[in-house]
Amino acid sequence: MIRTLAAQIKEYKKVSVMTPIFMILEVVFEMLIPFLMASIIDDGVEAGNMQHIYAVGAVMIAAAFCGLFCGVMGGKYGARASTGFAKNLRQAMFENIQTFSFASLDKFSTAGLVTRLTTDVTNMQNAYQMILRICFRAPVSMVCAMTMAFFINARLASVYLVAVLLLAVVLFFIIGGAMKYFKQAFPKYDELNASVQENVSAIRVVKAYVREEHETKKFKKASQGIYDIFRKAEQHVVLNMPVMQFTVYGCILLISWLGAKQIVQDTLTTGELMSLLTYCMNILMSLMMVAMIFVMMSMSIASAERICEVLNEKSDLTNPVNPVYEVPSGDIEFRHVRFSYHKESSEAVLHDINLKIHAGETIGIIGGTGSAKTSLVNLISRLYDVTDGAVLVGDRDVREYDIETLRNQVAVVHLHTCSGYDCWTAAKEAEEYFDKMEAMEKKRRGGSRTMNKTALKALFINAKSVGARYIGMRLTQTGIEKPEFHITQRENFDKMFEYFMKVYDDDLISLTNREIKITGIAQGNTFEDIEFQLCDVGVDWKQPISDAIEKSYNNMISETPPASEEERLRCEAMKEAVKGMFLNESRTAAEARFIFDNIEKYEELFDICMNGDDIEFKRGLIELQRLQNEYILREEKDE
C-alpha cells in the first residue's frame, strides 16, 4: 500500500523533502529560546548585567525570526507537496477507472468511486501534510525538549518522563476506541452519495410520482448514519483535551513545587525553573500533536486502503498478443455460450446459448426483467468475457479483435427505464400534448377547441415531472359565452387526474351537473400565468407584433416602391431582422399584456424603423421599455 501511494508523489519529491527539513530547523530555533531566556534571568536580570540582556535578547530575536522563516517555508512546501500528491492520486485513479471493464465497475458503485476521488483523496492530502509537518515536528520537538530538560536538571525532568509514559498509555486506548468508528464512516459516505446521485439523476421521476418525502427520509437516514458514527468517534477523541490538560497542569504543579524547594536549597536557579516549565508545555503539546496525528492516520489508513483498491484494480479484458484490426462482416454467432458475472459463481446467467444473426437482420429479444437480455448483448462488444463457449463477430472470436476496433464497429445503446410508469408511453403522450397546444395557438380566436383525453393525461404527467405548482383548465359551457377557469393545486394533482380519467370522454364532461367542454389547458407556478395562458389574448402574443411589422413593411413598400429586385430583397431582409429582434425574446404574462394594450406604439416604432431612422428608432425603443417597466410596476402595486 505504501509503495502504491508513494509512487504518486512523482515531481513533488523535492518539496516533500524540504518540508520536514524546515520543520526540524523551526523546532531547533524554538528550543533555543527557553535556554536563552534562562541565561537572561540568571546572568542578566539577577546580576544586573544589561549588556548581557541586550546581547542575549538580540540572539533570541534572531532565533525567533529564523524559526518564523522556517515555519513559513515548511508550511509553503508542505501545502505544495500535499496538494500535488492529491492531484496525482486523483489523476491516477481517474486514468485507471477509464480502463475498467464492466466486471471491474461492478466491484465499485458509482457513489463509492466518487467518494474515493473526493473525500478519501482529501483525507490523504491532509494526512500527507500532517506527516510532512507535524509528524516530523512533534517527535523532534519532544525529544529536543526532553533532552534540554535533562540537561538543565535530570531529577525534575524525570517528572516529564513519567507523565509522558502515562499519557501515552491513556492516548493509546482513546485512539484505539476511535479508530474502529472511523473505518466504519466511509461506507456510510458511499450510501449518502448514492442517495444524492439517485435523486438528482431521476429528479423528474421523483417529482412525477411525488416521492420527495421518501427521498428526503432516505437522505436523512444516510446523513444520520454518518452523524452517529462520527459522534461515537468524537466521544472518544474529545477525551484527549481533558487528559492532556490534567497532565500539563499536574506537571506544572509538581515542577513548581519541587523546583521551589531546589531554589531554596540553591540547587536550581529561577531561570532554569522557567525554562523547565516552558519545556514542559513543549513536551506535552508535542505528545498531543502526536495523538492527533494518530487520529488523522486512523482515518487516512481507511481512505488509503480504498484508494489502493482502485489503483491496483486491473481490467480482466486485455488485447491479444496479435490482435485483429478489421471486422470483415456483421455476422454474429453465439456458440454454446455460458456466462456468469462472478467466476466463482455456481449459477450462470446464460446457459448454453446458441444463436446466429446474419448481417442486416433485425432481431428482437423478448424477456422479463432480469432475464439476461442486456447481458447477452454486452457479450457482443466484449464488455464482458464469456465464461464458456465463444461469441463470434465476422466469423472470428471477439477475443481475437483489438478491443477499440471491435467497439468502434459494434454500437451498444443502453436504455435506462423509468420506475412505475413506462417512459415510452409518457413520451408519446407528452408529444401529443405539445402538438395539441401548438394547434391551439394556431387557432387563436378561431373558436373553442375541445381537448382530448390523451392531451389531458399528458398534461398531468408533464406538469408533475417539471414540478409545476398548478394545472389550469378553461371550461366552456354551451350557451354561455364567458368561459370559466378551473385551477388545481399540486397536492390535488393525483385526485383530479383520477377523476378526469374516469369521467372524461373526449367531448363532454359532467361537472356539478353541467355539460361542459375543456377548451384550454395550461401549467405553471402562479395563478397569474395560468389565467393568462388560458385567456384567448394570452395564447399567442407574437401575432400582433408580427402583424404590426408586416403592416409597417407594406406601408413602406407602397409609399416608396423598391427600384430594383436587389433593393426589395434588402427590405425583406430588414423586415425579417426586425421580426427576429422582437419575436425571439421570451415574455412574461405582464409583458405580453403590455404588448396588447400598447400595440399602436409598437406600430409607430416599426414605421420609424422601416423608414431607416436609426437614432429615432433607438430613442423610441428606450421610451417603450420605460413605459413597459412602469406598466409592470403599476400592476404589481395594484396586486
Side-chain angles (χ1 to χ4, degrees), residues 200-424:
V200 172
S201 61
I203 189 66
R204 289 183 178 274
V205 178
V206 171
K207 289 182 176 295
Y209 294 96
V210 197
R211 300 288 287 173
E212 293 93 337
E213 186 176 351
H214 169 76
E215 291 296 326
T216 301
K217 290 180 179 177
K218 184 177 173 183
F219 177 85
K220 187 176 181 181
K221 181 180 178 182
S223 181
Q224 184 68 31
I226 295 176
Y227 165 78
D228 291 338
I229 290 294
F230 275 104
R231 181 175 55 82
K232 292 177 181 177
E234 290 298 330
Q235 285 176 346
H236 289 76
V237 175
V238 76
L239 296 175
N240 276 347
M241 187 56 67
V243 170
M244 177 61 65
Q245 289 181 341
F246 176 80
T247 306
V248 168
Y249 293 124
C251 286
I252 290 174
L253 288 173
L254 284 173
I255 295 296
S256 300
W257 182 50
L258 296 175
K261 284 187 175 183
Q262 291 191 12
I263 290 174
V264 172
Q265 297 170 0
D266 289 331
T267 57
L268 185 72
T269 66
T270 305
E272 289 174 339
L273 178 61
M274 290 188 63
S275 297
L276 286 171
L277 292 174
T278 304
Y279 288 132
C280 171
M281 292 298 296
N282 284 334
I283 291 169
L284 298 179
M285 289 308 296
S286 297
L287 191 62
M288 183 66 176
M289 290 181 187
V290 172
M292 294 308 299
I293 289 172
F294 279 111
V295 172
M296 189 66 194
M297 291 299 293
S298 66
M299 295 175 61
S300 61
I301 285 173
S303 295
E305 291 173 350
R306 289 158 54 86
I307 290 172
C308 288
E309 286 177 1
V310 177
L311 292 175
N312 295 329
E313 178 69 24
K314 301 299 178 185
S315 174
D316 55 356
L317 300 180
T318 57
N319 269 340
V321 179
N322 297 308
V324 178
Y325 290 97
E326 184 177 352
V327 180
S329 69
D331 294 336
I332 300 171
E333 184 178 357
F334 289 78
R335 291 183 183 174
H336 302 288
V337 169
R338 181 177 178 275
F339 171 71
S340 58
Y341 282 98
H342 300 285
K343 302 295 183 183
E344 64 276 6
S345 177
S346 58
E347 186 174 350
V349 176
L350 298 171
H351 304 267
D352 195 25
I353 301 299
N354 290 282
L355 174 65
K356 190 162 187 178
I357 305 171
H358 297 287
E361 289 184 337
T362 301
I363 302 296
I365 301 173
I366 301 173
T369 302
S371 59
K373 303 184 296 298
T374 304
S375 302
L376 180 73
V377 173
N378 285 340
L379 297 176
I380 301 173
S381 55
R382 205 189 169 196
L383 297 176
Y384 294 95
D385 270 342
V386 297
T387 305
D388 292 313
V391 178
L392 282 69
V393 174
D395 295 327
R396 279 186 175 273
D397 194 318
V398 292
R399 289 169 288 193
E400 297 178 13
Y401 287 108
D402 172 68
I403 294 178
E404 185 175 354
T405 300
L406 176 66
R407 291 176 183 170
N408 284 338
Q409 295 296 322
V410 180
V412 179
V413 180
H414 292 278
L415 175 65
H416 296 279
T417 57
C418 300
S419 58
Y421 190 85
D422 183 74
C423 285
W424 177 257

Side-chain angles (χ1 to χ4, degrees), residues 174-195:
I174 291 174
I175 295 168
M179 282 181 66
K180 62 181 181 181
Y181 293 112
F182 285 127
K183 289 183 178 180
Q184 298 173 17
F186 296 104
K188 297 291 184 181
Y189 274 119
D190 293 349
E191 294 178 12
L192 185 71
N193 285 340
S195 176

